[in-house]
Every structure is written in structure tokens, then in C-alpha cells.
Amino acid sequence: MRVLVLPGDGIGPEVTTQARRVLERCAELFGFALEFDTAVVGGAAIDQLGEPLPAAALEAAKQSDAVLLGAVGGPKWDDPRANVRPEQALLGLRKELGLFANLRPVKPFPELLDASPLKPEVLRGVDLVVVRELTGGIYFGKPSERRNGPSGREALDTMVYNEHEIARLMRTAFTLAQQRRKRLASVDKANVLSSSRLWREVAHEVRREFPEVAYEDVLVDAMAMHLLRRPRDFDVIATENLFGDILTDEASMLAGSMGLLPSASLGEATNRVGLPRGLYEPIHGSAPDIAGQDKANPLAAILSAAMLLRHSFGQNEAARAIEIAVANVLSQGLRTGDIAQPGCSVVGCEEMGTAVVDALAAVKPGA
Ligand code: IPM
Ligand code: MG
């Protein structure tokens, strides 16, 4: 199996290095073969090659069985007038690889309930997954441009969805709900937006295929509130691209830090073992303020590696082992700076990675 690592910018190289070590250790322990390849994307690729997503990187992604990405972007490339931006790498990969469904699980570790700004009693038992549409909506709709209008400068973006895009996302979300607690909330803004009204209409059609799943429509503004007040009530949350982007940053606070949330982006394309050829990445950004200082939390990248093993390679035991190893390391009291708590030892990115690597052997079933 071939994994393409795209370290990207900022803390991306540091966290993907640790995730790769964890994958290598799993391959040894669980007896499967892994080959790694890397390519440059994002700001690093703009600097080296003049474009954020060089054709070679995209081709390598298409040839791989799964892609592990760190993060892209940084102040160096942030000029709002620039035509070439690191984020285009990410959007290009998602679009070109057809990764329309982005799974973002949020399940706070019991050890970290105090690391969240929310009360532990609100967080206990939270176990939800946001299924975010990833290749449509306002991120990709045309026209998207800046121009001169009668009142001066103006700019516009277009939120557009067709029924096919909505139906496939809803089917993914319903299928996941069926394997979980059988509850699905579809989030939209149907009281204002036409695209949301079509979203809701199609969601209701797809719902008929899944009669055993309890379904509700929730307006996005209300969901922003429910996520803080009663997050335990949600199982699967399906939503369009921009709403999902915003709600998952909010939901990361339930887990205590953005540095803890992994994600999997899946589409229809399959790999050598007949499973989705996914892209796995932490939901956090490149954190330029702490880049290169060995301060980043590698757990989101490491947990993304677990999702990679589960969804793209079918290595469920190894994936589970990573998740248990992470929980064990947290119970031992190791913390990176973002989740530092009184009485715990603050460690760097590499030391955290080493702790997870070392914890794996003990949690391998039969060990
Ligand atoms: C995310 C990020 C990206 C997004 C950015 C970096 C383009 O915020 O993956 O959530 O908006 O999708
Ligand atoms: Mg985001």
C-alpha cells in the first residue's frame, strides 16, 4: 500500500513526521506493508515551483492508495490580492480527487474534559461526526470574482448545489448514521437560501431510503448554539461546505483543541484494496506562530493516520490501537502546550509522537 505524504507548510511537516512514525510502527506490529512517497504542496510549492499544487503532486496523489496531508498556508503567502494561494492546493486536491465527503469525528477524550472551555458535564458522552460536503457550494461556485461595479469595487461568490451533489453527500451521511446511533441532523439555512431549500428537499427524498434513521432538519444558526448547549444529542451531522467548515472549528472546542481533531475526505475512487482512496488531514491549520519549534500537537495528524488505516486500508485493529495508544498517553499525563493542564507534563511534538509509538505495542490485541 502506498501512502503519499504532503507535509505542506508551518507545523505540517512536524505533525506528519510523527504520524508517519506511528504508521510505520503499526505496519511492523500488525504485519502489513507500507510504502511512503512525499510531494511538495501549498506555500512551499509556491516558493519552489511557483504553484501551490504542482502536477507531479496531483499525479502522485492519484497513484497513491491514500494521502496524508499536514497543513497549508501562512502569513508569507497571505496577500489578499495574490492570485496564487497555498489553500488552492487543498481545494485542488479535494476537487481533482473527487473527495466530496469530509468526515470530522468529535469525541472528547475523558482525560481532556477539563481542557475544554466548556463544562465537563456538557461534554461527557459526546460522540458525533460532521459529514461536510467538500467539493461544492460557495467554495467552488462560479462566478467568484472581484470587479468594478456602479458603486465601486465589488466581489461575489456563488453558493450553488445540484441535486446529485446533495444526494450523494446525504447517502454517505445516512449510511454512516445507520452504522452508528441511527440519528442524522441535516444542517441548512432553508429560511433564507435557495441552495439550502434544494438541500432540504433532496435530503427528504434520500431519507426515504433510510427509514430506520431518525432525521431532523436544523438551521445552521441554531446548530451553532446546540453544539455548545447539548452536543451529546447529535450523532451524525450532514451539511454543506462552508457551514461544515465553520461548525467543525466550533466543535473542535468540545474536544479541547483544534490539535486533536482528525478528518477523512472520501469520494468514489477506490484504491488497490478496493477501499476509498482518501485524503486524511488534521482539521487545524499551519499554525505559523509555533512552526519549527517542536510545540505542535501531533495528535490530530496521528488520529488522521488512524482514520487512514480504517477507511482506506481496512486495518481496523491497527486504527483502534492508535486511538487507544493516544488515550493511554493522555492518561499518563502527557500534554502538548495547547492542552496543558495543571499537574501534567508538557512535551513537544516529537516527544508526544514517540510516546504514542511506544504505547502501540502494549495495546496490540494479544500483546
Ligand atoms: C479546513 C480549512 C480549509 C477549508 C482552508 C485551509 C481552505 O479551514 O479544512 O477546514 O476552509 O476547508
Ligand atoms: Mg476550516
Side-chain angles (χ1 to χ4, degrees):
M1 303 293 281
R2 196 176 301 162
V3 178
L4 175 68
V5 182
L6 300 173
D9 307 315
I11 60 170
E14 299 164 60
V15 299
T16 48
T17 298
Q18 300 313 316
R20 178 175 167 165
R21 290 177 65 209
V22 168
L23 284 172
E24 281 166 344
R25 184 72 182 124
C26 282
E28 279 165 25
L29 285 169
F30 291 85
F32 54 89
L34 277 187
E35 273 171 56
F36 290 92
D37 196 5
T38 71
V40 185
V41 295
I46 295 177
D47 288 354
Q48 284 179 36
L49 304 154
E51 47 180 341
L53 182 57
L58 181 59
E59 195 45 38
K62 289 184 176 162
Q63 298 305 323
S64 72
D65 295 304
V67 181
L68 180 69
L69 185 138
V72 294
K76 183 172 173 195
W77 308 280
D78 258 356
D79 176 2
R81 301 296 303 261
N83 285 324
V84 181
R85 306 173 58 80
E87 290 76 11
Q88 289 161 348
L90 203 48
L91 302 184
L93 280 165
R94 291 170 179 174
K95 193 70 170 180
E96 296 294 326
L97 299 176
L99 304 169
F100 65 86
N102 180 219
L103 274 42
R104 298 189 161 185
V106 181
K107 186 176 177 183
F109 287 97
E111 293 80 7
L112 293 180
L113 292 187
D114 295 324
S116 167
L118 295 159
K119 295 195 189 93
E121 59 266 31
V122 174
L123 301 173
R124 209 162 280 124
V126 168
D127 180 3
L128 60 88
V129 184
V130 177
V131 182
R132 168 188 175 194
E133 201 290 326
L134 205 58
T135 52
I138 201 164
Y139 273 59
F140 294 96
K142 294 279 181 288
S144 166
E145 64 193 27
R146 184 186 159 117
R147 61 193 183 193
N148 289 317
S151 314
R153 288 168 297 172
E154 57 183 39
L156 75 156
D157 296 290
T158 303
M159 190 184 279
V160 57
Y161 273 107
N162 63 46
E163 58 182 316
H164 166 69
E165 292 169 314
I166 302 169
R168 68 182 178 181
L169 190 276
M170 290 310 302
R171 280 199 187 94
T172 304
F174 270 110
T175 304
L176 184 64
Q178 226 167 12
Q179 296 155 4
R180 293 175 42 102
R181 301 198 310 281
K182 300 192 169 41
R183 283 151 69 175
L184 175 63
S186 170
V187 173
D188 63 36
K189 187 71 187 174
N191 52 349
V192 177
L193 303 175
S194 301
S195 55
S196 279
R197 285 190 285 274
L198 180 65
W199 183 279
R200 195 175 278 208
E201 189 177 314
V202 174
H204 289 200
E205 288 159 14
V206 174
R207 172 189 180 181
R208 292 193 217 115
E209 299 163 25
F210 300 88
E212 61 283 28
V213 175
Y215 174 92
E216 61 179 327
D217 298 300
V218 184
L219 292 171
V220 63
D221 47 351
M223 183 52 99
M225 176 181 66
H226 298 323
L227 273 177
L228 302 183
R229 209 170 65 180
R230 48 179 191 90
R232 226 186 340 254
D233 292 351
F234 299 97
D235 177 15
V236 176
I237 297 173
T239 193
E240 68 86 42
N241 206 341
L242 180 63
F243 297 161
D245 178 47
I246 298 169
L247 291 176
T248 51
D249 268 27
E250 184 191 1
S252 76
M253 284 297 105
L254 304 170
S257 165
M258 296 260 287
L260 291 163
L261 286 206
S263 85
S265 303
L266 309 172
E268 265 138 34
T270 53
N271 61 21
R272 254 160 270 221
V273 282
L275 289 169
R277 181 193 58 205
L279 172 99
Y280 301 84
E281 53 171 324
I283 84 151
H284 62 67
S286 59
D289 52 320
I290 56 164
Q293 301 169 39
D294 192 36
K295 282 187 183 162
N297 185 344
L299 295 179
I302 289 172
L303 293 166
S304 298
M307 292 189 88
L308 181 156
L309 291 179
R310 178 174 291 122
H311 294 281
S312 284
F313 294 173
Q315 293 287 342
N316 295 332
E317 281 195 347
R320 192 73 206 114
I322 295 176
E323 290 156 355
I324 297 172
V326 168
N328 290 353
V329 164
L330 291 172
S331 349
Q332 288 158 25
L334 295 195
R335 302 283 185 272
T336 40
D338 56 318
I339 47 173
Q341 284 173 289
C344 290
S345 352
V346 173
V347 298
C349 181
E350 183 172 356
E351 197 175 339
M352 186 57 108
T354 303
V356 177
V357 168
D358 291 346
L360 277 169
V363 296
K364 185 189 169 194

